[in-house]
Amino acid sequence: GARPSGRKEDRCLDSFAGMISKGKRTQVSNSSTRSDSQSQVLDQTIEYLTEAENKERLGEARVLDLRESVKQGDDVLEFRKRCSGMEDLTGIITSFSSHRHPSIEKHFAAVERKETLRSRVGSLRHILSNESLQLFPDFLQRKSLLRTLGYIDENETVCVKGRVACEVNTCEELIVTEMVFEG
């Protein structure tokens, strides 16, 4: 499926595709030839992409219509409907004057930074929340045991037994406290 290579972008794409397929088939032994050829393709690609960006800014860019490539299958109607919706959104977006603003990259960078920070704050909030603690279920079980034994009340206030257990300086505070209160 070779394309006619009359247009500049077709020549650039053909050259780039040829470079990729050639690289897959054979190894070029002379590294200077390879780097010169690669830099030439890279320069052509950058030039093509720069021209395409300028055409897009001026509203002269051709829109790729994928609807024609889908001929059969169950999702054809849904795909064509989504393509039409995407085409409508593209028209709306390019009609905004902000789309062609000279400092749009700076504004997008600020918005991206803000959204990145917002996402980071959300993840830090989750990390600091009780739900993310790995030992939280164990903590709840221990608290329930202290409530059952009378060390804390239903409002989670420390009772007399709890205060005595706090003052015991051994590794078995609960056992010593139970011995004191049970006699």
Side-chain angles (χ1 to χ4, degrees):
R3 293 190 297 264
S5 56
R7 294 184 341 194
K8 186 176 186 179
E9 57 263 11
D10 289 339
R11 286 193 313 267
C12 179
L13 291 174
D14 287 341
S15 174
F16 190 64
M19 178 79 171
I20 291 172
S21 65
K22 187 180 200 181
K24 287 181 182 175
R25 282 182 276 145
T26 61
Q27 291 288 334
V28 178
S29 61
N30 186 352
S31 62
S32 65
T33 305
R34 183 175 63 206
S35 65
D36 290 344
S37 178
Q38 286 176 343
S39 65
Q40 183 182 12
V41 170
L42 183 61
D43 289 342
Q44 290 175 349
T45 304
I46 290 172
E47 182 181 337
Y48 171 74
L49 292 174
T50 304
E51 288 176 12
E53 182 180 13
N54 290 334
K55 284 182 182 179
E56 194 273 331
R57 285 181 192 254
L58 297 173
E60 299 172 359
R62 293 182 300 155
V63 177
L64 180 63
D65 190 4
L66 296 174
R67 290 175 283 197
E68 298 303 318
S69 65
V70 178
K71 302 287 185 196
Q72 52 185 293
D74 295 334
D75 297 329
V76 173
L77 292 175
E78 180 66 25
F79 180 75
R80 289 185 179 191
K81 179 180 163 188
R82 288 181 186 255
C83 284
S84 295
M86 189 171 68
E87 190 176 271
D88 294 342
L89 289 175
T90 303
I92 291 170
I93 289 172
T94 56
S95 70
F96 293 141
S97 61
S98 62
H99 185 68
R100 294 175 295 283
H101 194 276
S103 61
I104 192 168
E105 292 175 9
K106 184 176 100 177
H107 295 295
F108 273 132
V111 169
E112 180 184 23
R113 176 77 174 140
K114 184 179 177 181
E115 291 303 316
T116 301
L117 289 173
R118 183 176 288 152
S119 172
R120 181 80 174 134
V121 166
S123 65
L124 288 174
R125 275 196 181 128
H126 175 71
I127 289 170
L128 294 174
S129 69
N130 289 339
E131 290 82 26
S132 70
L133 297 175
Q134 293 178 351
L135 300 175
F136 192 67
D138 186 45
F139 166 74
L140 292 176
Q141 287 178 343
R142 289 173 187 235
K143 197 165 72 168
S144 174
L145 176 68
L146 292 174
R147 188 177 296 116
T148 302
L149 295 174
Y151 289 84
I152 58 174
D153 63 9
E154 53 277 339
N155 296 326
E156 298 182 4
T157 305
V158 179
C159 299
V160 176
K161 280 175 89 174
R163 292 183 193 271
V164 170
C166 288
E167 296 298 325
V168 174
N169 291 329
T170 66
C171 61
E172 301 295 334
E173 296 89 358
L174 295 181
I175 294 174
V176 172
T177 304
E178 288 296 318
M179 289 172 59
V180 167
F181 278 92
E182 296 296 324

